Amino acid sequence: MKQSQVSLAGALSQMKRFPTAVAVTVIMIAVTVACWRVIATYDELSHTQDEPAHLSTGLQWWQDGEYTIETLHPPLARVAIAFLPYLTGAKIPDDGDLWERGLAVLWEDGDYQGVLSAMRLGNLPFFMLALLAAFLWGRAVGGTWTGVTALCIASLLPPLLAHAGLATTDMAVTALLPLALLAFWRWTDNVRSFSALFLLALTLGLAVLAKFTTFLYFPVAAVVILAWRWRSKQKPLPGLAEVASSAALVAVGTLLVIWAGYRFSVGTPMSTSPESMSRAVDIVFRWSGPRHDAGTWAANLTVPAPELPAGIIMSMKKGRDGHRSYFMGSNGRYGWVGFFPTAVTVKTPAPVILLLAAGIAGVATRRRFRAAGLPLALAAAIVLVVMPSTINIGVRHVMPAFIFLAVVAATGVRYLLGRGWLGIVAASILLSWTALTSARAHPDYLPWFNLLAADREPPVLLDSDYDWGQDLSRLSQRLDELGIERINLCWPWTTRLEQHIGADVVRMEPYEIPSGWTAVSITCIYQGNRREPFDKYAWVNGIEDYELVGKTIRLFRLP
């Protein structure tokens, strides 16, 4: 063995003697830096489309002890988002829809930025939990240092940093679904263990309270885990009766956690929002006939946590209705099969993709890396199962996959480190490149794309992957700097323009080219104002002399 290789082995041996202290130090530094980077975006970015809605519904949970303004999303993340504003005295008004009521809270007392920052701080613990999930999964499949590396890689991923900095529901499930799946894996090792049963019930219940996509992802991922156990010849499960009894206890515990999240409410799903629920039942259960009668009967049953089945029915309606969406220059309503694989690809840093390739090579060729095949399979399952979805509005809907991909990338680092000095140099370069890419993205993590899609016209993705309304405060500041008192504006997102922008705002008319200073959101250019026809403001693409405000608003002057 060469002297250099002996020295390296000795250094690695020394690390193994003190893994806990060093690992904890690295984890604390990585988490602290990542959280600081997230908090540093609060003052830069204005509220995005969904944040006022999440604020109003979360405040209702705290203020009125109920959850009926909108049940489409479960309450956990919204309750966390509204916690600090509630403590500081925020109150929702009685009138208006969920967006209008949230905007009223944002602008009351003239402390828009203070309320917005308080909302976003409520989401930060979920980001820290997501990083913990990356560490725990990495440690489970490759040891402590794989876990530490997975956490560090996850802390650098722009999609995670972007949504960690917003008051939305996506980071909660990004953290809790991987934790629930890890608890399920541990439970299958010992269904007799009370602690395993308790952790599974708790994490699964919280994952459901985070986002209803848990109902889609968890069963598929659980099958993947069971198949992995069978293929890897792990200890077989005990008898069917014992598994069934333990599973029943898990189900009861999970339902109790969910019921607690809805404040132990009792009622009928229909009573949560009679008008909206009646229409949802009509659409989901086909308007008339026995199926519709059964759906109506079920919606009028008195049950614990009626908001849960109401939310599920509303989600089914949304799936049938589809959603205005955009993909690679095309507009549609019912999605594209290639949307989510493409979104994950263009939102993953290039060096991480290379580390993923190294991790896959390790899984395929080295027995000691085989366990990392499980998180790889789970990431693939999450993306594959959602491909037929009619709701294609952001990579945020598959963000739990990034936690598993970070684990596979960390395995790639281990694989390269075992390939001699050339592998060590390659791993060092790729990790440094990942950190540099992440640093250069700050604070605009949301519209960030890798080399495959950066600066592409037309853009590959829009909506919450690019332009979600986050640059309006920057536009207001720029107008003040230029002394502009009147602005023609195309703005498709929900806000109070008169309060957000000091200049007089003139809403642009479709197909009409105004005169004077004009600002147009990138969404307007490629999606109209998110309503058909979509080419209403396409003429803006013909204007070459413009200033880009933030990453999403074109500012120019017309004669």
Side-chain angles (χ1 to χ4, degrees):
M1 182 180 291
K2 295 180 180 179
Q3 182 63 37
S4 59
Q5 291 177 313
V6 173
S7 300
L8 177 62
L12 292 175
S13 176
Q14 285 292 109
M15 287 179 65
K16 289 178 181 178
R17 293 178 190 176
F18 305 98
T20 303
V22 179
V24 169
T25 301
V26 173
I27 288 170
M28 290 181 65
I29 292 172
V31 172
T32 300
V33 170
C35 289
W36 175 83
R37 295 176 68 194
V38 168
I39 293 171
T41 67
Y42 292 173
D43 291 341
E44 286 275 346
L45 307 178
S46 51
H47 72 270
T48 53
Q49 173 69 10
D50 288 354
E51 288 178 279
H54 296 318
L55 173 62
S56 64
T57 50
L59 275 176
Q60 186 197 31
W61 192 96
W62 288 108
Q63 177 181 315
D64 301 332
E66 58 184 33
Y67 190 73
T68 56
I69 292 178
E70 189 215 49
T71 59
L72 178 65
H73 299 282
L76 180 63
R78 288 170 159 182
V79 169
I81 287 163
F83 177 63
L84 289 178
Y86 174 73
L87 284 184
T88 56
K91 301 287 184 183
I92 53 170
D94 295 329
D95 300 323
D97 64 20
L98 66 167
W99 279 276
E100 292 166 349
R101 295 164 84 173
L103 288 171
V105 176
L106 271 172
W107 290 104
E108 73 176 351
D109 300 328
D111 190 19
Y112 169 86
Q113 194 58 56
V115 176
L116 184 61
S117 295
M119 292 163 55
R120 290 172 170 174
L121 277 172
N123 199 35
L124 196 61
F126 295 120
F127 177 54
M128 291 186 278
L129 275 177
L131 298 182
L132 174 64
F135 167 75
L136 292 175
W137 266 102
R139 187 179 66 175
V141 302
T144 298
W145 286 102
T146 301
V148 172
T149 307
L151 180 148
C152 291
I153 291 172
S155 75
L156 297 171
L157 294 178
L160 297 187
L161 291 164
H163 292 281
L166 304 177
T168 53
T169 61
D170 304 290
M171 188 51 61
V173 75
T174 301
L176 291 164
L177 180 66
L179 289 175
L181 290 171
L182 183 60
F184 177 77
W185 189 20
R186 293 312 188 199
W187 175 78
T188 61
D189 284 338
N190 187 3
V191 299
R192 302 181 182 92
S193 168
F194 175 78
S195 61
L197 185 156
F198 174 81
L199 284 174
L200 176 55
L202 176 64
T203 54
L204 181 55
L206 291 174
V208 171
L209 287 170
K211 212 169 181 71
F212 288 139
T213 47
T214 299
F215 287 120
L216 174 64
Y217 295 145
F218 186 85
V220 174
V223 170
V224 170
I225 291 172
L226 292 173
W228 184 265
R229 282 183 57 88
W230 173 80
R231 186 180 182 279
S232 57
K233 297 181 173 60
Q234 293 183 15
K235 181 177 68 174
L237 294 172
L240 180 61
E242 191 170 355
V243 173
S245 62
S246 182
L249 290 174
V250 169
V252 171
T254 300
L255 291 173
L256 284 173
V257 172
I258 294 170
W259 194 18
Y262 286 104
R263 304 189 68 127
F264 296 106
S265 61
V266 177
T268 68
M270 188 67 74
S271 67
T272 59
S273 180
E275 185 175 344
S276 298
M277 274 297 296
S278 179
R279 177 166 175 77
V281 167
D282 287 342
I283 292 174
V284 172
F285 297 103
R286 306 293 177 85
W287 297 99
S288 63
R291 183 175 176 179
H292 181 270
D293 294 341
T296 302
W297 173 80
N300 284 283
L301 282 177
T302 299
V303 295
E307 302 89 348
L308 175 66
I312 293 171
I313 292 172
M314 295 298 292
S315 297
M316 294 170 67
K317 173 188 176 293
K318 188 174 180 65
R320 288 185 181 274
D321 288 344
H323 194 288
R324 288 183 300 271
S325 50
Y326 169 96
F327 181 49
M328 298 184 72
S330 299
N331 285 280
R333 191 171 188 88
Y334 296 101
W336 298 266
V337 172
F339 179 89
F340 286 107
T342 302
V344 171
T345 301
V346 300
K347 285 291 187 175
T348 302
V352 176
I353 292 176
L354 295 175
L355 287 173
L356 286 170
I360 293 170
V363 170
T365 62
R366 297 287 189 273
R367 181 176 294 276
R368 63 194 180 101
F369 298 136
R370 293 285 168 82
L374 178 55
L376 177 63
L378 291 172
I382 288 171
V383 175
L384 288 171
V385 75
V386 79
M387 284 173 62
S389 171
T390 60
I391 312 298
N392 288 181
I393 54 175
V395 75
R396 60 193 175 96
H397 287 169
V398 293
M399 278 208 307
F402 283 107
I403 301 300
F404 298 115
L405 292 177
V407 175
V408 180
T411 303
V413 173
R414 281 185 64 209
Y415 174 75
L416 290 173
L417 291 177
R419 306 291 291 178
W421 282 110
L422 188 60
I424 294 170
V425 170
S428 301
I429 290 173
L430 292 175
L431 288 173
S432 300
W433 185 6
T434 301
L436 179 62
T437 298
S438 184
R440 292 181 64 186
H442 183 83
D444 294 298
Y445 304 117
L446 191 73
W448 177 88
F449 293 94
N450 65 20
L451 300 174
L452 296 173
D455 301 320
R456 187 181 184 277
E457 294 289 343
V460 176
L461 307 171
L462 281 176
D463 210 283
S464 59
D465 290 318
Y466 189 174
D467 176 17
W468 214 13
Q470 72 270 16
D471 284 331
L472 191 59
S473 293
R474 288 167 162 174
L475 176 64
S476 179
Q477 180 181 350
R478 186 60 180 146
L479 296 181
D480 288 343
E481 291 171 352
L482 295 173
I484 297 172
E485 298 180 352
R486 183 179 183 276
I487 187 75
N488 304 299
L489 180 64
C490 179
W491 191 253
W493 310 108
T494 303
T495 190
R496 291 183 171 182
L497 287 174
E498 294 75 14
Q499 290 177 273
H500 214 139
I501 295 181
D504 292 331
V505 176
V506 179
R507 295 271 190 175
M508 292 173 60
E509 295 295 329
Y511 301 108
E512 291 187 10
I513 301 178
S515 60
W517 283 102
T518 303
V520 181
S521 159
I522 197 75
T523 296
C524 286
I525 298 172
Y526 293 102
Q527 278 194 294
N529 53 355
R530 301 176 72 222
R531 294 178 177 83
E532 295 187 51
F534 299 115
D535 64 348
K536 293 190 287 287
Y537 306 100
W539 57 266
V540 175
N541 265 332
I543 296 174
E544 297 180 355
D545 185 15
Y546 65 85
E547 175 185 344
L548 189 63
V549 179
K551 298 291 183 180
T552 65
I553 301 173
R554 296 185 187 181
L555 176 65
F556 49 91
R557 190 171 188 175
L558 295 171

